[in-house]
């Protein structure tokens, strides 16, 4: 890097790194230069001319957004010519702007309104008729109003550079220019980033259209709970109803980004199908009951079953949809009060093996989080399809390529959209990722010829790929569920042989997959990946919990299903779990019957969920749960970043959070020392038993921080590798899902269901590109 | 002597008093015969609001929420909705589906009228809202909206024809 430069802006001497743009230098020093088209991190446009400033010795006014700071520059941003120029620019921008602010959805949060108010002329000298074009609906969720557009090209650039979709482009010339789609409809990923980034009301959302005004709303910053990336989403609430979701202050780990699910997929919360009261099966049908009745019934039945057939005939499934606190309390309830380790949840990534592999290799700093992708110099993406399953990860990968010229290597069994950013790729046979990783790690018995045959790739291709990869340093490895169990150990060994610091990120489905594992909702691991047999961890838990816990290994989800069919398992508690759902295609209900008959053998099936799911229909007791927008708690994203859910609306009817439900159930079972505390008190207890959560304090979260978990597994007491590999067997990938699906909740989101057929359009993109 | 003076003084006072009465008998009366005769207010009197219609009979209100934003007493509640091809209420894309003013809160400051960009809300001259239940002080849109003059004319014409 060359020397920093010193310049003067408005008589103030400032020093900035060489290459800084004038507009950035000014903003860093609290000098406001107005602009429309300039957006940090997107390419420069200099289209709006709003940022004109006076630079001494320059013959004319200069645009601050493309002028690079130079030593000794003298800049004035508030001189008379500048003020006049801004006024003229605004007058020009407003020549064709319709001034329908009272009707426009953007009114109240419009940048053009604010700018005109602050810098504008107030009147116009134009008396000519304004150019008018009718408003168009370009996609099921996006409306485009051409006359309102001020041609700043922000939407064009975010769509091209940020999303790599290129659905929007300027069409026509001069005063007739409009932002168009090339044809009648907008073929895109429906992310809606163009709505947020538009400084005026030219691009508006169908969901929010003409419903209310921005100052009428209350805003709650919370976490999107559709995938494991954990984007911040701000819910706009009026009359206890969520009207829209966006990231209006562009903070959080996702900054300006939100995908279709985060922006439009919240509407299941207000669905009329939500469960409102507890239901108990009486005479073959589910009938409404009170909470006392329902929980009393469950507690009585659990007590009877426990007495007759022992605690190991009871099992529970937690969920990656529940908060850390809820999952933690669930496993505490099962281990302490019921006295069994029959605990599991739907696992979609092997965090346990990653933790243990890193702990064995003593690489505590090797966990990659979602933010760090942006600055990684080299990225190796194995498996998964980040574009559809992990939109923020894909967005950040594209960011790294765009801004830092990162080199992306891709290993996948299908042609994915990210290939467009890749410098090298291997498209191998499905299921052969582990073989390739074993070869890269030079595992014994793995030769080039063998791996070439297994992956169906020519040996030279693998060799050149590996050579290229080994020439890079500080590699960030991002992998999906294809790499699990032993393959993760191979991957970490391979990473250790690369130059610099290699870091790892496992991609999972569902918002709190990592948290559920961190909390130990598995049959053979305690919170913090401590082995069940390990005396120190169990003893510490017993000390914190003030009670003994079950020591023998429990059953995993498939084992529990088998135990039910053989009659060993008598009772199941399912919290936000829906085992009858077909994981790859929730719309397909055909996987149900066989497993449904199995569940029918249970003496007691308790289901807590938002909706009457396939599984809930078979239950003896159904408990209505609160959604993510109706409860408080924390979620851990796939990169180990912990964020807080904020309650934005009240739950419908008598529904309550799973946290309250589990405490109530424990008290009904006689554990009167279980008290209703806020999420923060549970989080404090989690930090006591999970060393990875040492820095995750309620204080840090309440101050708006995003604390990072650290490696929890300790080298002294590592779980048995065989146990972990057994767990890895039952990981179920959801990779074949489309961008619009995220389990049983998205089925109840009107918007996502409506958009689902558009998944074919995206597949078409990828294929067209391949051609 | 004193008696005589008292008699004279009393008579003078009587004449003065009756004189005043007599004078007022011929002046115009200032007593208002409310409620038999309704009072006449100045043009700018701020009474119960009226939601106006345009020359085509459509509602002028486009549900921009500026009145409710301007309202210092937080008395105005609006829910907006979009006009459709079939049902058109206002000229622009949006109209007020619900428009309530809570006269238990309203302080008749006129800020809403001032804020309205389409001159949809104005102060009328009605002022009577004594009721038994404060809930009845919430006026809904159908109570505030002026009748459609074209429909009204149409009805009168048809009445006369009948």
């Amino acid at each position: 890097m060359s020397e920093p430069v010193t310049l003067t802006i408005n008589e103030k001497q400032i020093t900035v790194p060489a290459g800084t743009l004038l507009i950035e230098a000014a903003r860093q020093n609290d000098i406001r230069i107005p602009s429309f088209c300039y957006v940090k991190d997107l390419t420069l446009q200099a289209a709006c001319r709003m940022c004109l400033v006076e630079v001494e010795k320059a013959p004319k006014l200069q645009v601050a957004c493309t002028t690079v700071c130079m030593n000794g520059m003298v800049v004035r941003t508030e001189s008379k010519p500048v003020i006049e120029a801004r006024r003229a620019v605004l007058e020009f921008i407003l020549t064709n702007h319709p001034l329908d602010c009272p009707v426009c959805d953007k009114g109240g949060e419009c940048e053009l309104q604010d700018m005109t108010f602050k810098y504008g002329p107030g009147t116009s000298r134009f008396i000519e008729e304004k150019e008018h074009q009718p408003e168009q609906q370009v996609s099921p969720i996006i409306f485009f109003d051409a006359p309102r557009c001020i041609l700043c090209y922000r939407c064009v650039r975010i769509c091209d550079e940020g999303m790599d979709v290129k659905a929007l482009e300027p069409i026509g010339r001069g005063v007739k220019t409009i932002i168009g789609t090339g044809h009648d409809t907008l073929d895109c990923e429906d992310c809606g980033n163009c709505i947020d980034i538009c400084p005026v009301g030219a691009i508006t959302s169908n969901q929010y259209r003409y419903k209310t005004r921005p100052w009428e709303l209350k805003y709650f910053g919370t976490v999107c709970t559709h995938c494991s990336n954990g984007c911040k989403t701000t819910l706009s609430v009026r009359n206890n109803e969520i009207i829209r979701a966006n990231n209006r202050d562009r903070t959080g780990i996702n900054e300006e980004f939100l995908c279709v699910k985060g922006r439009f997929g919240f509407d299941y919360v207000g669905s009329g199908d939500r469960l409102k009261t507890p239901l108990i099966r009486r005479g073959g049908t589910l009938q409404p009951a009170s909470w006392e009745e329902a929980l009393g019934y469950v507690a009585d039945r659990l007590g009877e079953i426990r007495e007759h057939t022992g605690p190991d005939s009871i099992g529970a499934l937690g969920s990656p949809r529940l908060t850390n606190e809820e999952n933690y309390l669930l496993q505490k309830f099962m281990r302490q009060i019921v006295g069994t380790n029959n605990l599991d949840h739907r696992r979609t990534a092997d965090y346990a093996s990653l933790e243990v592999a890193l702990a064995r290799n003593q690489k505590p700093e090797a966990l990659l989080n979602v933010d760090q992708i942006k600055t990684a110099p080299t990225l190796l993406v194995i498996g998964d399809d980040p574009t559809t399953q992990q939109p923020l990860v894909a967005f950040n990968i594209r960011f790294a390529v765009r801004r830092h010229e990162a080199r992306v290597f891709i290993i996948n069994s299908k042609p994915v959209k990210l290939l467009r950013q890749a410098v090298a790729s291997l498209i191998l046979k499905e299921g052969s990722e582990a073989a390739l990783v074993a070869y890269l790690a030079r595992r014994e018995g793995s030769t080039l010829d063998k791996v070439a045959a297994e992956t169906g790739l020519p040996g030279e291709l693998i060799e050149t790929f590996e050579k290229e990869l080994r020439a890079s340093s500080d590699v960030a490895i991002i992998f999906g569920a294809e790499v699990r169990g032993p393959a993760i150990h191979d991957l970490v060994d391979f990473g250790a042989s690369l130059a610099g610091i290699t870091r790892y990120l496992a991609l999972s489905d569902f918002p709190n997959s990592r948290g559920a594992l961190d909390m130990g909702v598995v049959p053979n691991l305690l919170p913090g990946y401590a082995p069940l047999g390990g005396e120190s961890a169990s003893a510490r838990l017993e000390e914190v919990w003030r009670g003994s816990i079950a020591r023998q290994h429990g059953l995993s989800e498939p084992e529990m299903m088998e135990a039910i069919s053989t009659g060993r398992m008598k009772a199941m508690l399912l919290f936000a779990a829906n085992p009858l759902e077909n994981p790859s295609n929730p719309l397909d209900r055909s996987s149900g019957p066989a497993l449904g008959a199995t569940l029918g053998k249970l003496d007691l099936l308790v289901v807590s969920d938002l909706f009457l799911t396939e599984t809930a229909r078979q239950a003896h007791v159904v408990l209505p749960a609160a959604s993510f927008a109706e409860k408080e708690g924390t979620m851990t994203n796939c990169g180990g970043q912990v964020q807080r859910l904020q309650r934005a609306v009240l739950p419908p009817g008598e529904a309550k959070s799973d946290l309250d439900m589990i405490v109530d159930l424990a008290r009904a079972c006689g554990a009167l020392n279980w008290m209703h505390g806020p999420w923060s008190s549970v989080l404090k207890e989690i930090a006591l038993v999970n060393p990875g959560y040492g820095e995750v304090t309620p204080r840090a979260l309440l101050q708006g921080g995003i604390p990072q978990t650290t490696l929890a597994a300790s080298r002294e007491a590592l779980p048995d590798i065989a146990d972990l590999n057994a767990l890895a067997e039952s990981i179920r990938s959801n990779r074949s899902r489309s961008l619009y699906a995220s389990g049983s909740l998205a089925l109840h989101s009107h918007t996502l269901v409506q958009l689902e057929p558009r998944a074919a359009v995206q597949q078409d993109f990828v294929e067209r590109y391949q051609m | 002597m004193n008696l005589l003076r008292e008699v004279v003084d009393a008579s003078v006072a009587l004449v003065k008093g009756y004189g005043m009465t007599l004078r007022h008998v011929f002046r115009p009366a200032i007593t208002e015969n409310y409620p038999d005769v309704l009072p006449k207010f100045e043009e700018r009197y701020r009474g119960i609001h009226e939601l106006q219609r345009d020359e085509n009979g459509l509602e002028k209100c486009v549900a921009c929420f500026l009145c409710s934003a301007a309202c210092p007493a937080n008395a105005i509640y609006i829910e907006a909705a979009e006009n459709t091809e079939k049902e058109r209420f206002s000229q622009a894309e949006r109209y007020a589906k619900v428009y309530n003013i809570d006269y238990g809160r309203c302080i008749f400051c006129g800020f809403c009228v001032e804020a309205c960009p389409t001159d949809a809300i104005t102060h009328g001259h009605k002022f009577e809202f004594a009721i038994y239940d404060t809930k009845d002080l919430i006026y809904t849109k159908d109570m505030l909206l002026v009748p459609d003059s074209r429909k009204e004319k149409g009805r009168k014409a048809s009445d006369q024809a009948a």
Side-chain angles (χ1 to χ4, degrees), chain A residues 488-510:
Chain A
I488 288 183
H489 296 274
D490 292 346
L491 189 64
V492 173
D493 287 346
F494 166 64
S497 69
L498 294 173
I501 301 169
T502 311
R503 287 175 298 177
Y504 307 86
L505 173 65
L507 299 178
S508 54
D509 205 337
F510 302 113

Side-chain angles (χ1 to χ4, degrees), chain B residues 76-137:
Chain B
I76 305 180
Y77 176 81
I78 305 171
E79 274 177 33
E82 195 181 347
N83 284 311
T84 57
E85 289 293 315
K86 278 184 197 157
E87 274 194 309
R88 179 157 281 282
F89 294 88
S90 72
Q91 194 56 54
E93 286 94 331
R94 185 168 51 202
Y95 73 98
K97 193 171 71 180
V98 176
Y99 193 107
N100 294 346
I101 299 181
D102 184 351
Y103 284 104
R105 302 188 73 113
C106 178
I107 56 167
F108 298 94
C109 64
F111 282 10
C112 48
V113 177
E114 205 123 305
C116 185
T118 59
D119 291 335
I121 187 164
T122 57
H123 277 294
H125 287 180
K126 286 191 194 147
F127 61 96
E128 300 154 301
F129 28 37
I131 35 79
Y132 286 105
D133 190 345
T134 47
K135 275 188 205 140
D136 297 338
L137 280 175

Side-chain angles (χ1 to χ4, degrees), chain A residues 169-184:
Chain A
E169 58 193 357
I171 295 169
R173 289 171 65 90
V175 72
K176 301 273 184 196
T177 314
I178 60 161
I179 302 297
T181 56
H183 40 284
D184 290 341

Side-chain angles (χ1 to χ4, degrees), chain A residues 100-105 135 145 148 209-213 215-216 238-239, chain B residues 62-66 68-69 77-82 92-94 117-118:
Chain A
D100 58 349
C101 305
V103 183
C104 176
D105 268 339
E135 195 178 15
D145 194 344
R148 284 184 194 153
R209 205 173 142 79
Y210 301 132
K211 272 198 178 146
T212 180
R213 306 286 277 179
W215 62 82
E216 287 282 316
R238 186 170 191 235
N239 296 338
Chain B
V62 295
C64 74
F65 288 71
L66 285 181
S68 82
Y77 176 81
I78 305 171
E79 274 177 33
E82 195 181 347
E93 286 94 331
R94 185 168 51 202
T118 59

Side-chain angles (χ1 to χ4, degrees), chain A residues 225-338:
Chain A
T225 56
H226 278 293
C227 82
S228 65
N229 294 170
C231 293
K232 178 184 170 179
T233 175
T234 305
L235 301 177
S236 308
V237 176
R238 186 170 191 235
N239 296 338
N240 203 38
E241 187 197 347
I242 305 173
I243 307 276
R244 68 167 172 185
N246 58 10
N247 195 11
R248 68 196 306 265
D249 50 6
R250 291 172 195 164
T251 58
I253 60 172
N254 45 322
E255 294 183 350
E256 72 269 12
F257 174 77
L258 260 187
C259 78
V260 57
K261 283 177 279 191
R263 194 183 302 277
F264 303 111
F266 61 83
D267 50 353
Y268 68 86
V269 172
S271 161
D273 301 337
R274 287 282 300 274
L275 290 168
K276 295 187 180 68
T277 57
L279 305 169
I280 300 183
R281 189 171 295 279
R282 290 192 184 103
T285 56
L286 287 167
Q287 285 170 4
S290 72
W291 274 106
E292 290 73 37
E293 248 181 297
L295 291 176
Y297 176 82
V298 175
D300 289 349
R301 297 286 293 131
L302 278 181
E304 282 168 33
I305 293 167
R306 192 169 183 269
E307 205 157 291
H308 285 293
T309 47
D312 283 332
S313 60
I314 301 172
L317 293 185
S319 170
R321 258 160 51 197
L322 297 181
T323 63
N324 288 327
E325 292 74 20
E326 289 162 346
N327 273 320
Y328 175 78
L329 284 186
L330 175 66
Q331 58 91 28
K332 183 176 172 182
F333 173 79
M334 290 305 285
R335 291 193 161 120
Q336 190 188 18
I337 294 172
V338 179

Side-chain angles (χ1 to χ4, degrees), chain A residues 58-170:
Chain A
K60 289 199 252 178
L61 298 180
Q62 301 290 307
V63 275
C65 70
T66 55
T67 308
V68 178
C69 291
M70 309 282 262
N71 248 334
M73 223 179 206
V74 179
V75 182
R76 278 181 216 99
T77 69
E78 297 299 333
S79 62
K80 206 171 163 238
V82 173
I83 291 171
E84 273 171 10
R86 279 178 194 157
R87 197 173 292 158
V89 166
L90 274 172
E91 196 177 352
F92 264 120
I93 288 176
L94 290 169
T95 44
N96 270 324
H97 195 80
L99 299 183
D100 58 349
C101 305
V103 183
C104 176
D105 268 339
K106 200 76 175 185
E109 51 183 9
C110 172
E111 288 176 41
L112 182 57
Q113 260 185 346
D114 296 347
M115 296 267 198
T116 309
F117 204 71
K118 196 164 175 194
Y119 306 106
T123 53
S124 174
R125 285 169 289 173
F126 288 94
I127 48 165
E128 288 79 8
E129 189 122 312
K130 295 195 177 195
E131 190 79 20
H132 185 75
Q133 273 140 342
E135 195 178 15
Q136 282 176 274
Q137 180 169 18
V138 290
S139 95
I141 46 163
I142 290 176
F143 279 79
F144 178 65
D145 194 344
R148 284 184 194 153
C149 175
I150 61 166
L151 296 171
C152 67
Y153 303 102
R154 278 192 197 177
C155 51
V156 176
R157 283 174 289 156
I158 192 81
C159 194
D160 173 6
E161 298 162 18
M163 296 307 296
D164 192 22
V165 168
K166 301 178 171 57
L168 294 167
E169 58 193 357

